[in-house]
Amino acid sequence: MALENTTLKVCNCNRSMPLDAGALAAALAARAPIDVHTELCRKEAERFGAALRDESCVVACTQEAALFTELAQSAGSATRLEFVNIRETAGWSAEGAAATPKIAALLALADLPEPEPVPTVTYRSGGSVLVIGPAAAAVQWAERLKPDLEVSVLATGGRGGELPGERAYPVWSGRVTSVAGYLGAFTVAWTQENPIDLEACTRCNACIRACPEGAIGFDYQVDLGKCRSHRACVKACGAVGAIDFDRADRTREERFDLVLDLSAEPLLRMPQPPQGYLAPGRDPLDQALAAAELARMVGEFEKPKYFAYDEKLCAHGRSKKTGCTACIDVCSTAAIASDGDRVKVEPHLCMGCGGCATVCPSGAMTYAYPRVADAGARLKRLLSVYHAAGGKDAAILFHNGTDGRELVAKLGRLAASGHARGLPARVIPLEVHHIAAIGMDTLLGAVAYGASQVLALSAGSEAEEYGHALERQMGYAQTILTALGYAGEHFRLVREQTPEGLDAFLARLAPAATVAKPAPFNLGNAKRSTLEFAIEHVAKLAPAPVAEVALAKGAPWGRVNVDKAACTLCLACVGACPESALLDGQDAPKLRFIERNCVQCGLCERTCPEGAVTLTPRLLLAAEAKAAVTLNEAEPFHCVRCGKPFGTKQMIDSMVGRLSGHSMWAGEQSLRRMMMCADCRVIDMMEGKEEVSIFDVK
């Protein structure tokens, strides 16, 4: 796998890891022999300059990336630099001497083209911040923030503190009822629970002097536990009218760009609160860090639009019947909500976890940054180079770029000191934006490319709902592989937060069986198509081929069962099916079904007026899965006047039986009209001389 127009600079980091230059050059089909440096960032730094004449340069070191970037800038070079960590991820390991295939694979990734650009989401913040919390703390931080931000204070809970002598910013009091929005567009609503309106109060102290119980302090709030309802304060306040014990309108709502929540428990309790909302709690250091971060949130900001949504494929609802809610249920930022028969996504709240795309059964919600096609290209390159270099039983370890990356690095450093084994030579770490985006298309695609196992490292920062969702997806994929005879555990969510725990887990990890021949296809962004390619490949090479795999409830494949005795072939289920899995018989009274299209959303089951439809999750691997099969058919009913077929005999018999006792259908002619087609029914009504009007019905 040649690296075109690219120079490799590899260093063994002061001989702390074994590197085989010849094997690396052969694995990568390098244009020239690869020199293994010993101190590229120190005494051999001048040799780095020779690489700056090429179009691009891959440096097998991330620790000194800043230094090498500075050297390139100083030289005025236009060379594109890429940095790859082979030290903690491969060389610093008890199996470092056998890690050449993994190192070659990691280096080969650096030569892939950049992913296609995606749309962006813009935030605009003018710097208006609401500080929420006890008066003492809220006012203190407002005073510190007011030189840089447009501050407001909402004092909540308890008494205490002292309002500033100068009214430099709005101060309110009350109980927060809602906080909604995102950076640049927060809406906060609260209810004023104290008789004194701090906005109207002039802080003249007349109420403090007048109160016989001393229930009012310099926070200008009434201690209702001390107050004996003398109302002397009301009289002292006079025409100002700031004190009203019987205030009718106590609700207020304002908009802000930022929110600093100093409450003991955050008002927004979610794993990933919206950008611009900071809740450091009561710890002074955390509060100081949050205040410093607020100062950097003024201006215009952009982030990728992480998702793409195709409403036509969505199985959320039809005709006010709710089907699939998987994306709504998994989203930890409340960015997705029901919007009639579709869902709507607030892109400013989306943090890019990709969990919605992972659980979406139809592919209506897809991950756009990076796309599955981009992730698939990385997997295909990684595994092809690894296998070409002689690697066996590859285990892909997906991790995020924060605590997951740090945990892998800590394990490498621990191994370098001799206190751990480190990553095995067959375990290849691969960084992703968020592990929740690893859906079944990626899981089964990796196995189709020859991976023995796919692991996802959860080091603690991921929301619990994402872990559960990912384990369910892994469970479906594992069930399929096990049924096809592939031995071993192929997928695992690794819940480890210490390098020692991760080391122990990897030491116990045994390889699982995989395909004898890697798949040639590329993963695509169309989820169902990609899954079909991957499943067909693993099924074709399966050690124990089967025609059907039973799956757990919630799986995105299955059949529709129809109780023929109850079904009247009204075909309401056909109109409700968003995936064209249920079809009519065109010119005949039939209900047909294409199983491979079914996503088990349940809309047909909820829509059927007779309750004749049920679902059975399974994966049908036989050819009939793609063919339209007949679930029910009936004898057509012919119009008693013109003979044209217009319904089913069962449906007409049911209607006649149910309505024959109704006064509106009394009489033989009325019942006979029910057996006519629409055209003949109108003609018969116009010809009827003795037709009974609705006004004649008693």
Side-chain angles (χ1 to χ4, degrees):
M1 188 67 65
L3 300 182
E4 300 294 336
N5 302 315
T6 299
T7 298
L8 287 176
K9 303 303 289 183
V10 181
C11 180
N12 61 24
C13 200
N14 198 25
R15 299 183 176 86
S16 62
M17 54 181 171
L19 294 177
D20 187 334
L24 277 177
L28 295 168
R31 295 173 300 162
I34 296 176
D35 292 330
V36 175
H37 301 279
T38 300
E39 299 176 50
L40 186 63
C41 62
R42 295 295 181 265
K43 67 180 183 181
E44 296 177 297
E46 72 280 357
R47 299 180 62 183
F48 170 71
L52 299 179
R53 293 190 294 269
D54 288 325
E55 182 178 316
S56 63
C57 175
V58 176
V59 184
C61 174
T62 53
Q63 176 179 293
E64 300 296 340
L67 171 64
F68 291 122
T69 300
E70 184 179 346
L71 290 175
Q73 290 174 345
S74 299
S77 172
T79 297
R80 181 173 65 91
L81 296 180
E82 295 286 344
F83 300 96
V84 180
N85 181 1
I86 65 169
R87 191 176 67 176
E88 285 88 349
T89 61
W92 282 359
S93 166
E95 299 181 14
T100 297
K102 174 164 65 170
I103 294 173
L106 292 172
L107 291 172
L109 287 183
D111 197 44
L112 283 175
E114 292 292 324
E116 293 181 9
V118 297
T120 58
V121 178
T122 302
Y123 297 90
R124 292 180 178 86
S125 169
S128 64
V129 57
L130 177 65
V131 185
I132 304 173
V139 169
Q140 179 189 48
W141 280 111
E143 289 292 312
R144 296 181 181 182
L145 291 170
K146 71 178 183 181
D148 302 309
L149 299 170
E150 180 187 336
V151 298
S152 301
V153 170
L154 177 55
T156 60
R159 295 286 313 285
E162 183 175 334
L163 299 191
E166 178 186 351
R167 189 189 295 275
Y169 44 82
V171 180
W172 301 288
S173 69
R175 177 179 58 85
V176 177
T177 56
S178 69
V179 178
Y182 45 84
L183 175 63
F186 283 103
T187 300
V188 181
W190 67 91
T191 300
Q192 184 178 321
E193 297 185 327
N194 202 275
I196 301 182
D197 182 348
L198 294 179
E199 273 291 272
C201 176
T202 63
R203 304 177 197 175
C204 66
N205 298 328
C207 58
I208 298 176
R209 292 191 300 270
C211 181
E213 289 89 12
I216 305 175
F218 289 109
D219 60 354
Y220 302 103
Q221 296 287 272
V222 178
D223 186 338
L224 297 174
K226 293 181 179 180
C227 179
R228 295 295 176 264
S229 303
H230 295 289
R231 302 297 189 261
C233 57
V234 177
K235 183 177 180 180
C237 189
V240 173
I243 309 177
D244 185 351
F245 284 82
D246 301 313
R247 193 183 312 277
D249 184 13
R250 295 177 178 271
T251 60
R252 184 155 186 169
E253 183 177 285
E254 297 287 343
R255 291 177 62 87
F256 305 93
D257 295 320
L258 305 160
V259 175
L260 177 60
D261 180 6
L262 303 178
S263 308
E265 294 293 331
L267 295 168
L268 293 181
R269 298 188 182 184
M270 56 180 65
Q272 291 182 294
Q275 295 186 15
Y277 171 85
L278 302 178
R282 298 289 173 83
D283 183 82
L285 177 58
D286 290 340
Q287 290 180 357
L289 294 173
E293 188 174 350
L294 284 172
R296 297 192 294 269
M297 292 186 174
V298 180
E300 187 170 303
F301 308 92
E302 285 187 348
K303 72 172 183 182
K305 184 181 178 184
Y306 294 103
F307 67 92
Y309 175 59
D310 186 347
E311 182 183 344
K312 296 190 295 294
L313 297 177
C314 184
H316 174 62
R318 286 295 185 276
S319 304
K320 298 184 179 181
K321 299 284 187 181
T322 301
C324 176
T325 60
C327 61
I328 298 174
D329 297 338
V330 80
C331 182
S332 68
T333 65
I336 310 176
S338 178
D339 185 24
D341 289 342
R342 64 191 293 275
V343 299
K344 60 180 178 181
V345 187
E346 174 47 72
H348 295 88
L349 291 177
C350 175
M351 297 296 182
C353 68
C356 55
T358 292
V359 300
C360 179
S362 66
M365 196 74 74
T366 54
Y367 197 43
Y369 184 80
R371 304 172 307 156
V372 171
D374 299 324
R378 298 180 72 200
L379 276 173
K380 190 174 184 180
R381 169 70 69 90
L382 189 79
L383 289 166
S384 63
V385 172
Y386 177 80
H387 292 138
K392 305 291 184 183
D393 301 320
I396 304 298
L397 178 64
F398 286 108
H399 63 84
N400 64 28
T402 54
D403 56 348
R405 178 203 289 172
E406 183 57 28
L407 183 55
V408 170
K410 284 181 178 178
L411 177 56
R413 292 192 289 270
L414 203 62
S417 66
H419 294 91
R421 291 186 57 80
L423 291 183
R426 73 181 191 89
V427 176
I428 310 173
L430 192 58
E431 186 173 312
V432 292
H433 182 69
H434 200 294
I435 62 168
I438 305 165
M440 260 199 296
D441 43 2
T442 303
L443 295 172
L444 290 172
V447 173
Y449 286 152
S452 168
Q453 287 154 313
V454 182
L455 313 171
L457 177 59
S458 176
S461 63
E462 288 82 14
E464 193 63 24
E465 51 263 50
Y466 293 132
H468 295 323
L470 186 50
E471 285 179 321
R472 284 194 295 273
Q473 298 294 311
M474 288 180 167
Y476 303 143
Q478 183 63 61
T479 298
I480 294 169
L481 293 182
T482 300
L484 291 171
Y486 292 96
E489 183 183 29
H490 296 81
F491 311 106
R492 171 71 76 91
L493 177 63
V494 184
R495 299 175 183 269
E496 297 290 348
Q497 299 184 24
T498 66
E500 294 83 2
L502 180 58
D503 194 50
F505 168 79
L506 294 175
R508 299 190 303 268
L509 187 67
T514 189
V515 293
K517 181 181 179 182
F521 61 82
N522 297 323
L523 300 190
N525 299 320
K527 185 173 186 175
R528 300 290 288 194
S529 298
T530 294
L531 279 169
E532 191 162 319
F533 277 121
I535 290 170
E536 284 185 356
H537 186 78
V538 298
K540 181 174 64 176
L541 302 178
V546 294
E548 178 183 336
V549 179
L551 296 172
K553 184 179 180 181
W557 299 282
R559 71 168 280 112
V560 170
N561 311 298
V562 175
D563 182 348
K564 295 183 180 181
C567 175
T568 62
L569 283 174
C570 68
L571 302 182
C573 55
V574 174
C577 181
E579 310 302 330
S580 298
L582 289 169
L583 308 169
D584 61 25
Q586 297 178 336
D587 297 329
K590 285 184 181 181
L591 174 60
R592 299 181 300 150
F593 176 59
I594 301 177
E595 185 158 337
R596 190 55 60 86
N597 291 352
C598 180
V599 298
Q600 298 281 286
C601 65
L603 280 169
C604 56
E605 188 176 28
R606 295 179 181 90
T607 301
C608 179
E610 287 85 19
V613 177
T614 57
L615 305 176
T616 299
R618 70 172 186 176
L619 177 63
L620 186 62
L621 297 171
E624 66 184 72
K626 298 180 183 179
V629 298
T630 300
L631 297 181
N632 193 17
E633 57 183 329
E635 177 186 348
F637 187 88
H638 295 270
C639 174
V640 294
R641 181 181 175 117
C642 71
K644 182 176 68 176
F646 73 97
T648 69
K649 187 175 185 302
Q650 182 181 5
M651 182 172 64
I652 299 301
D653 289 346
S654 175
M655 289 172 56
V656 172
R658 292 179 183 182
L659 298 176
S660 58
H662 196 281
S663 58
M664 280 297 297
W665 297 93
E668 182 179 343
Q669 184 60 26
S670 295
L671 289 176
R672 189 171 183 273
R673 187 174 294 147
M674 205 183 302
M675 304 178 201
M676 298 179 186
C677 66
D679 294 337
C680 291
R681 195 175 299 132
V682 173
I683 295 171
D684 189 70
M685 290 173 64
M686 298 299 295
E687 291 178 348
K689 304 301 182 183
E690 305 296 330
E691 192 69 33
V692 178
S693 167
I694 191 172
F695 300 106
D696 299 325
V697 178
K698 303 299 183 184

